[in-house]
Amino acid sequence: MNYIIKGNLRGLLCSDCELPVAGTSVKVYRPSDQQNETRLAVADPKQTFHQVNDDELKAKERLFITQADVQENGDFTIEIDGGKSGYEGGSIDVDWYCGNVPFKIPLPKKDPALQFHITTLQPLYKSSQESAQYARFDYKIDAKWFCRILTLLDIWVVCGYVNDCETQKPIPGVKVFAYDVDLLQDDYLGNAYTDNNGKFTIVYPGDNFRKTLLPWLNVEWPAGPDYYFRVESSSGTVLLAEDRTRGRQNDRHNANNCFCVKLCIKGGGIITSDTPWFTSVGNFSITSDIDGSGKTLISKFGAGGTGYGFFGSVKLGGYATKKVPTAPASPLYYRFLFSTDNVNFSPVTTAQMETTALKVASRQITWNGTTAFQDVVIDINQPASVPDSVPVDNYPNPIPDHVLHPDVNGWVRVDQPALDNGFYGSLFYLNTTTIIGGGDASAGLTPGLAVPVADQKNGRMLYIQFQTTDDPANPGSPNLNTQSLIGKIYVNNWNEVNLLKLEELFAGGGSGCTPVSGTAHADYTVDHELIASWSLGVWSNATGTVSGLPSGTTPRGDAKKFDMASPSPFVLTPPFSAWPSCAYSLTLTTYRKLTTGEINDWGKTNQVIFCK
């Protein structure tokens, strides 16, 4: 006979906040105290909960039956094979093993693994047609225990609710950011979205608020964080921005590791604008972050910088309302147009689309009998979903995407059940290489020689326009609207020229295995319209990294035949004459001033191995 116990395990943070203990496990043993088995089975689990010490844990080893992992929502399933284990449906000891890295967050150090006894349980089994017995066991760890355990593991939790200030109705689907007021620099602690009840939970390690700018000053004063919060819509619109001084007030100052809070937003956080807009390419606003030449003016969230162009696939962002502003009963359709001359525009269709799925919104659904969120994606690799259809609860299967496909003219229909009154953020994933080509710029070039002007590869401007309508089949619809503001980005999809050769390896018809001795000429050529930096490098086990080699940030790059044995005016450390017999790595590394709007060029390294 098989025995299956399904349950849910959570820890209480305060009266109305709890945390699923995902990443931990539930362990099952035969009762260790068989004389008092019945009394323990009927005892209040709040009275039996305790930490298992080393002696108790050692005694339990011979009584172990099985264990089950706790899932993201706190659910677990214990399966006991009666034939193999000898278990016949009697009482069991149930323990919680939280280890030293629970809740799937990194911890600053490895603490002792922790295990706690919950209770001695007599499951109330019910039979099924599958020759198995089923029972249920749900448990919530009392806050006084749970918060103390989190302290031992240096885990900190913020749990709270976001409501409308006037109606007190919960606000789902908004993003809450938590910060700690610090003496030198405020600490970012983490973020989370609110669920259908307006609830959010942020879990983070204590080191997040102990960070300082001074390496020798590694303590927080006072001992706990001083919280203040920011709330944004899913598009990034700021709905609430508390002043940092809020963190110094008594109810936020030096908070405990289990902190519960209630936030409210005036007007319920509803964005009242009903005008669809194309606003950004990746992280960059088309009105304020990109100059007239189509290059980025600043760095945002680790991408771009002064004078960066674009390459590869870029996300076109903005706001697409559920309904057409001039026809409020009609769902809105949107699309993008492109041009390389700012005169002749063509629709962006699946032919210009990055094939990776793009999440454009979230929906609120029911899964496993509770509130869950479904992704709305544009993805031609999956079959399109029936418009506006909502999936039935099919747990334990994963939640399927709600899939949108652009039509043949690039029109995308806004999903009506989506949160936020429409799509905020990324609206389309454009592969610029399908419009402005590129490739290998090194063909036919020789290392050490400059690239002739006629062979230098440059990019082009790309102009992007935004349209909305109520009827894609009717080009004359009175509700067809074309945004007058046009996005402009400079695109260069050519690889940089990165050529490197060590002449002596092939001197006199050498095979490439010739040892290098008296001279070592490194012939290199670097060229790109938007070169960010380049550098030669030498490394071996004998010398480590050799310093003093050429590098630069000059426009387009450089080309030279550089003799490492006579490097004047460069001074190598150690000098070539002092390099012992060993294998060496000669490298040429280049970076381009290009970004996708979210990630900058990852660089390219060319390597030559030689012996001396």
Side-chain angles (χ1 to χ4, degrees):
M1 177 71 71
N2 291 328
Y3 299 86
I4 298 175
I5 304 172
K6 293 192 174 187
N8 187 278
L9 182 60
R10 295 167 180 256
L12 290 172
L13 302 167
C14 50
S15 60
D16 56 356
C17 274
E18 55 193 42
L19 181 69
V21 292
T24 65
S25 58
V26 175
K27 291 189 173 185
V28 174
Y29 302 84
R30 292 182 179 83
S32 57
D33 187 353
Q34 295 183 352
Q35 291 183 346
N36 295 303
E37 179 179 327
T38 302
R39 180 179 61 83
L40 292 172
V42 297
D44 185 350
K46 290 183 179 181
Q47 304 300 321
T48 57
F49 189 95
H50 66 271
Q51 184 173 355
V52 179
N53 59 41
D54 292 342
D55 291 340
E56 188 179 356
L57 185 60
K58 187 174 181 180
K60 279 175 170 282
E61 290 179 357
R62 61 184 178 81
L63 302 173
F64 177 74
I65 299 175
T66 189
Q67 68 181 55
D69 294 333
V70 180
Q71 305 305 309
E72 294 287 345
N73 62 353
D75 285 350
F76 62 86
T77 301
I78 299 168
E79 298 185 12
I80 305 175
D81 186 327
K84 292 182 179 180
S85 66
Y87 175 72
E88 297 179 345
S91 298
I92 52 175
D93 278 359
V94 181
D95 282 16
W96 173 44
Y97 176 76
C98 61
N100 53 23
V101 188
F103 315 115
K104 300 185 178 180
I105 68 168
L107 293 173
K109 58 183 180 298
K110 291 289 185 181
D111 294 294
L114 300 177
Q115 183 164 324
F116 299 86
H117 175 67
I118 297 177
T119 190
T120 298
L121 175 70
Q122 175 56 68
L124 300 176
Y125 289 111
K126 295 181 179 180
S127 62
S128 73
Q129 296 179 352
E130 293 86 10
S131 299
Q133 297 283 326
Y134 286 85
R136 183 82 192 179
F137 176 64
D138 297 329
Y139 186 74
K140 293 181 181 180
I141 305 166
D142 191 77
K144 67 178 182 180
W145 264 108
F146 190 59
C147 293
R148 175 56 182 160
I149 294 166
L150 296 181
T151 301
L152 295 175
L153 295 167
D154 197 25
I155 292 175
W156 297 68
V157 185
V158 179
C159 182
Y161 292 84
V162 180
N163 296 325
D164 182 287
C165 292
E166 296 180 357
T167 67
Q168 297 304 308
K169 290 183 178 179
I171 303 177
V174 295
K175 196 172 187 179
V176 182
F177 298 81
Y179 300 89
D180 166 46
V181 179
D182 214 340
L183 294 174
L184 301 177
Q185 176 176 291
D186 289 355
D187 300 314
Y188 165 68
L189 303 176
N191 69 80
Y193 282 97
T194 57
D195 64 14
N196 186 46
N197 298 311
K199 180 185 173 184
F200 67 92
T201 306
I202 300 171
V203 184
Y204 65 93
D207 275 1
N208 280 19
F209 72 86
R210 299 191 187 100
K211 299 172 184 174
T212 70
L213 295 176
L214 304 176
W216 49 267
L217 183 62
N218 60 359
V219 295
E220 169 80 6
W221 182 262
D226 306 321
Y227 288 113
Y228 67 99
F229 299 91
R230 188 176 84 249
V231 182
E232 297 181 357
S233 72
S234 62
S235 66
T237 301
V238 178
L239 307 175
L240 173 68
E242 293 187 333
D243 190 272
R244 65 189 302 273
T245 57
R246 181 69 178 87
R248 294 301 193 192
Q249 296 178 14
N250 290 338
D251 61 331
R252 301 278 188 87
H253 176 60
N254 195 17
N256 293 323
N257 70 313
C258 290
F259 182 73
C260 297
V261 66
K262 292 185 178 180
L263 305 173
C264 79
I265 298 174
K266 294 181 179 179
I270 302 300
I271 297 176
T272 57
S273 171
D274 60 357
T275 304
W277 284 102
F278 162 42
T279 61
S280 61
V281 178
N283 297 330
F284 295 89
S285 166
I286 61 174
T287 60
S288 58
D289 298 331
I290 301 173
D291 64 21
S293 68
K295 301 182 183 73
T296 62
L297 291 165
I298 57 175
S299 173
K300 293 189 73 173
F301 308 110
T306 303
Y308 275 65
F310 291 82
F311 78 119
S313 294
V314 299
K315 294 177 182 176
L316 308 179
Y319 171 39
T321 54
K322 286 186 180 180
K323 303 294 184 182
V324 179
T326 53
S330 301
L332 182 125
Y333 293 78
Y334 68 87
R335 72 175 178 179
F336 290 89
L337 309 174
F338 72 90
S339 172
T340 55
D341 59 11
N342 205 20
V343 176
N344 302 295
F345 283 84
S346 302
V348 175
T349 67
T350 54
Q352 291 81 38
M353 178 178 163
E354 162 62 42
T355 57
T356 303
L358 176 68
K359 178 181 175 181
V360 292
S362 294
R363 314 158 110 221
Q364 181 183 307
I365 64 171
T366 299
W367 207 259
N368 193 22
T370 188
T371 297
F373 293 97
Q374 180 187 32
D375 291 342
V376 181
V377 300
I378 300 176
D379 185 6
I380 59 175
N381 298 311
Q382 300 186 67
S385 302
V386 176
D388 303 336
S389 60
V390 179
V392 297
D393 190 335
N394 197 24
Y395 179 85
N397 292 316
I399 298 173
D401 294 333
H402 183 79
V403 182
L404 309 178
H405 283 185
D407 71 11
V408 293
N409 294 310
W411 291 105
V412 176
R413 182 182 185 276
V414 175
D415 180 58
Q416 299 303 291
L419 297 172
D420 273 348
N421 198 38
F423 297 172
Y424 292 86
S426 297
L427 301 178
F428 206 92
Y429 212 168
L430 171 66
N431 182 355
T432 67
T433 63
T434 63
I435 303 170
I436 298 175
D440 183 11
S442 302
L445 302 179
T446 302
L449 299 181
V451 179
V453 174
D455 293 329
Q456 293 175 349
K457 307 298 185 184
N458 298 317
R460 299 182 67 182
M461 285 286 290
L462 181 61
Y463 302 89
I464 304 170
Q465 206 167 41
F466 186 57
Q467 284 186 331
T468 60
T469 189
D470 65 329
D471 186 1
N474 180 14
S477 170
N479 298 306
L480 175 66
N481 180 68
T482 302
Q483 182 173 309
S484 59
L485 181 64
I486 296 174
K488 305 173 185 179
I489 59 174
Y490 189 83
V491 177
N492 190 319
N493 284 312
W494 287 100
N495 294 333
E496 66 268 56
V497 176
N498 179 320
L499 297 175
L500 179 64
K501 177 182 178 181
L502 189 60
E503 290 185 14
E504 283 71 15
L505 285 179
F506 301 94
S511 65
C513 296
T514 308
V516 176
S517 55
T519 60
H521 290 85
D523 298 351
Y524 65 89
T525 300
V526 177
D527 183 81
H528 193 272
E529 179 187 20
L530 294 173
I531 201 72
S533 64
W534 61 271
S535 60
L536 277 181
V538 172
W539 183 90
S540 79
N541 280 326
T543 62
T545 300
V546 176
S547 63
L549 290 156
S551 63
T553 58
T554 53
R556 297 221 70 100
D558 193 19
K560 270 191 182 62
K561 296 187 176 183
F562 178 72
D563 187 355
M564 293 185 287
S566 301
S568 180
F570 296 92
V571 178
L572 305 190
T573 304
F576 179 79
S577 59
W579 297 1
S581 296
C582 193
Y584 289 83
S585 168
L586 169 67
T587 57
L588 175 62
T589 301
T590 51
Y591 293 91
R592 300 172 296 172
K593 294 177 72 171
L594 292 174
T595 183
T596 65
E598 296 178 302
I599 300 173
N600 287 350
D601 175 40
W602 43 83
K604 178 180 180 180
T605 297
N606 200 345
Q607 183 182 53
V608 173
I609 302 296
F610 67 95
C611 292
K612 184 175 185 293

